[in-house]
Amino acid sequence: MKLENLDHIGVAVTSIAEVLPFWESVVGIRLHGIEEVVEQKVRTAFLPVDDTEIELLEPTSAESPVAAFIEKRGEGLHHIAIRVDDIDAALEELKRHGVRLIDEQPRNGAGGTRIAFVHPKATHGVLLELCERPPK
Ligand code: ZN
């Protein structure tokens, strides 16, 4: 699998509006944008840091996996995402190694990305996202 970079770090929050002042005014990261990912029932806010981002995830519905996460574990670190150049090839390789996946096929993420999650049982507790960015 060709790992390109740490793409972003996902943080589950109850309210983006409530936490944005901390990240913008205190930490000094400028908001790049907010996007709703209907498929995952979340709103995401992107805070770029050099070539990576902090991704704030706010559930838009009680059925959102992020809502379930907050309910169970509280707000906080949700996942880390690594950027791959070819997500289909990366998934095939993980399957060949018998790695337990949440997503067998890529799905659509924010910003035109294609993403897939690896099960935290396979990574000793870290929810890992593979992320393929659209060509620039
Ligand atoms: Zn993510």
Side-chain angles (χ1 to χ4, degrees):
M1 171 164 53
K2 190 171 176 290
L3 166 65
E4 296 192 317
N5 203 352
L6 177 64
D7 191 84
H8 63 270
I9 297 171
V11 178
V13 299
T14 306
S15 161
I16 287 171
E18 224 171 82
V19 300
L20 259 188
F22 169 77
W23 291 105
E24 288 201 297
S25 306
V26 181
V27 181
I29 309 173
R30 300 280 299 189
L31 174 68
H32 183 254
I34 294 182
E35 186 179 330
E36 186 165 345
V37 183
V38 177
E39 206 178 314
Q40 294 180 62
K41 301 181 176 71
V42 290
R43 279 189 345 127
T44 58
F46 300 101
L47 298 152
V49 182
D50 197 13
D51 193 35
T52 187
E53 290 176 331
I54 294 171
E55 176 188 70
L56 303 176
L57 301 155
E58 173 192 290
T60 55
S61 147
E63 281 93 63
S64 165
V66 174
F69 175 91
I70 292 172
E71 177 75 32
K72 196 171 160 195
R73 301 171 67 166
E75 293 180 304
L77 187 60
H78 182 263
H79 66 272
I80 63 171
I82 54 176
R83 193 177 310 154
V84 294
D85 65 336
D86 182 345
I87 196 167
D88 300 295
L91 282 172
E92 283 312 311
E93 192 175 337
L94 290 170
K95 285 178 204 169
R96 266 203 314 278
H97 283 91
V99 173
R100 186 169 166 191
L101 302 171
I102 291 175
D103 300 308
E104 298 273 328
Q105 300 298 327
R107 51 178 147 142
N108 297 324
T113 57
R114 296 172 70 222
I115 65 169
F117 285 98
V118 177
H119 200 283
K121 287 258 195 276
T123 61
H124 298 257
V126 177
L127 178 59
L128 182 66
E129 176 188 323
L130 305 179
C131 176
E132 179 190 296
R133 294 262 167 200
K136 280 177 187 163

